[in-house]
Amino acid sequence: MLRVACLPGDGIGPEVAAVAIDVLRALPLDVEVEEHTFGGAAILADETPLPEATLAACREADAVVLGAVGLPELEGAPVRPEQGLIELRRALDVYANLRPATGPEIDLLIVRELVGGLYYGASGRRPDGSAFDTCEYTPRAIERVARRAFELAGARRGRLTSVDKVNVLETSRLWRETVVRVATDYPGVELEHMLVDTAGLNLVQTPGRFDVILTENTFGDILSDVAAGTCGGLGLSASASLGDGPPGVFEPVHGSAPDIAGLGIANPAAMLRSVALLLRHAAEEPELATALEQAVDGALAETPTVDLGGSATTAEFAESVLGRLGAAASLR
């Protein structure tokens, strides 16, 4: 049985998460789903974005499906929905964030270290009015995400681009030293190093040159959005955050879009592509993952939602995907 903790979150999160669960239940899988509050909804109900009961349920699950977080009424508040996301990643130690980007001239995978760097370092304000954010990495943190990236590259086209800022940052010098050391265990993978600014330029001008990109937390956050822009935008982009064991966290990259929440027009494509990553990495069902990816691609082409210039509602898009999955049972 595949145990899934569903965290619908805020805004359009519950709408796209509901589609994800409907699709999971329509597949030839034995699935058990439990829904729990998270993000802004949890702050309003329990004064914390990550209630203890939610975290406990996630720890017991095989996979976490997460909608989106963020509410306008909580912007600038002492406790924000995004803090729950940062803490969830830390608590589950999902250190490898996978962000695929595919399109006519691009087929790459960004592997972003997710639980270190600036987002988890010491930060604060000083009496003189200045502020600081600390970026720290250990060799172990770099090595484990590097090994994940090398393994993924070996299963793809065998090319890995490690992105850093070695000409300026000491953490980047440690990053490069560690990646070079790890590379000796993967002779079948071609390794190159690239500065982050050069990587950004190449993602815009020649994205087809990349296979797998490995980088640290902040660089990966930025570069993965740049890559998404080359193949349709954040509204179509999926992600998987993985540790050394379950659960992984599977979520769309887009925000909670509160301006369209409740209108029934949210595009669930990114959420469904995240479910495909769940099928591939948590359920070990690559055939079903491919079938879902193809169904989403077909629905995008023939039943586009409003954001893509079409007129399909969330429900109509979901029906289009489910119709294309009708033969999924034959994949077993």
Side-chain angles (χ1 to χ4, degrees), residues 29 38 62-63 162 183 186 201 205 225 230 239 265:
L29 290 171
F38 183 69
D62 298 308
S162 179
Y186 301 89
L201 177 67
Q205 294 185 334
D225 282 9
T230 68
S239 78
I265 60 173

Side-chain angles (χ1 to χ4, degrees), residues 34-61:
E34 288 188 1
E35 187 173 305
H36 300 273
T37 57
F38 183 69
I43 292 174
L44 297 179
D46 301 306
E47 300 183 342
T48 174
L50 181 58
E52 290 184 10
T54 297
L55 179 57
C58 290
R59 291 187 191 278
E60 293 298 317

Side-chain angles (χ1 to χ4, degrees), residues 27 209 288 318:
L27 293 171
R209 75 182 303 284
L288 291 181

Side-chain angles (χ1 to χ4, degrees), residues 197-222:
D197 38 353
T198 304
L201 177 67
N202 283 319
L203 277 172
V204 173
Q205 294 185 334
T206 56
R209 75 182 303 284
F210 294 109
D211 181 16
V212 174
I213 295 174
L214 165 67
T215 193
E216 57 92 70
N217 204 342
T218 304
F219 296 161
D221 193 3
I222 297 166

Side-chain angles (χ1 to χ4, degrees), residues 62 188 191 308:
D62 298 308
L191 171 66
L308 300 176

Side-chain angles (χ1 to χ4, degrees), residues 147 150 178-187 191:
R147 291 193 180 280
F150 274 104
T178 306
V179 171
V180 167
R181 174 170 54 80
V182 171
T184 61
D185 292 335
Y186 301 89
L191 171 66

Side-chain angles (χ1 to χ4, degrees), residues 29 71 110 179 185 221 250-251 311:
L29 290 171
L71 289 176
I110 294 179
V179 171
D185 292 335
D221 193 3
F250 303 88
E251 59 179 310
S311 59

